[in-house]
Amino acid sequence: MVGTDLNVFLRPDHWGSATKNGSHDILVWESDDLVNWSETRAVTVSREDAGCTWAPEVIYDKEQDNYMVFWASRVDFGRGHHKIFQSRTKDFKTFTPCEVYIERDCDVIDTDIVEHDGVYYRFSKDETSKCILMAKSKSLSGEFEIVDSSLSEVHGVEGPQCCQLSDGRWCLFL
């Protein structure tokens, strides 16, 4: 399990300073049974010039036989915006240098990815339209194409989390 190690409420201006000089780490917990968990371990994954390392998520990449950890960070202050970065790991101790995973003309944050029948579905918040965009690809490393969906009509939401229900239907929490 991974999490953000940043508490914006401990900062004098909350969001402002957090986006410019916030965390570079993710928190990692490990468990063999989802009941008993390891002690929290902080791991530096972001670039040194990143302002924040927010909303980390993990997905297993069958093609590369490793885990892709991805999160939102802001770099290039004054002209930059939030992008989704990614790093790869096999053991959650050693990580590849991070690189940009999703970059758009506007801020993009809060991303979740699920795999179903060999297709990866990616849900990301577009900070300009304040809606969730859905995209799909046959590879985590491939080009994703935007899927036309009713999600673009739902505004003012974030934090997409997609899961399959026991009856086979899919549910997207926002």
Side-chain angles (χ1 to χ4, degrees):
M1 180 168 53
V2 296
T4 300
D5 82 334
L6 179 63
N7 183 341
V8 297
F9 298 107
L10 296 178
R11 297 176 169 279
D13 67 347
H14 302 308
W15 290 108
S17 64
T19 60
K20 291 181 182 159
N21 57 20
S23 171
H24 297 111
D25 296 350
I26 60 170
L27 300 178
V28 177
W29 296 267
E30 296 183 73
S31 174
D32 292 326
D33 58 13
L34 300 180
V35 174
N36 301 295
W37 291 89
S38 68
E39 292 295 317
T40 306
R41 182 174 70 252
V43 179
T44 301
V45 292
S46 273
R47 291 173 23 175
E48 194 171 297
D49 65 337
C52 51
T53 303
W54 289 345
E57 302 245 0
V58 178
I59 188 166
Y60 181 71
D61 186 340
K62 295 176 192 175
E63 289 178 30
Q64 294 192 26
D65 187 30
N66 61 23
Y67 294 92
M68 182 176 77
V69 179
F70 52 98
W71 64 91
S73 281
R74 184 171 181 198
V75 296
D76 304 324
F77 297 98
R79 67 182 197 290
H81 49 271
H82 282 90
K83 304 169 176 96
I84 302 297
F85 286 82
Q86 61 109 2
S87 178
R88 302 294 184 128
T89 185
K90 286 188 177 230
D91 60 7
F92 290 89
K93 293 174 179 63
T94 305
F95 290 78
T96 63
C98 75
E99 56 188 41
V100 174
Y101 183 59
I102 305 172
E103 182 173 16
R104 297 193 180 122
D105 292 335
C106 61
D107 288 298
V108 57
I109 64 169
D110 295 353
T111 296
D112 191 32
I113 304 171
V114 295
E115 184 270 333
H116 179 69
D117 291 339
V119 177
Y120 291 95
Y121 295 90
R122 189 169 73 188
F123 304 89
S124 301
K125 182 181 183 192
D126 177 315
E127 277 287 84
T128 300
S129 65
K130 305 294 187 199
C131 68
I132 304 297
L133 298 178
M134 180 171 65
K136 68 178 183 175
S137 177
K138 294 215 178 229
S139 169
L140 280 174
S141 302
E143 286 291 319
F144 277 75
E145 67 179 71
I146 299 292
V147 175
D148 187 24
S149 76
S150 60
L151 286 174
S152 62
E153 299 169 16
V154 180
H155 297 274
V157 295
E158 60 185 30
Q161 290 294 302
C162 189
C163 66
Q164 191 169 26
L165 303 175
S166 60
D167 64 5
R169 292 180 299 153
W170 287 86
C171 183
L172 181 63
F173 294 94
L174 305 172

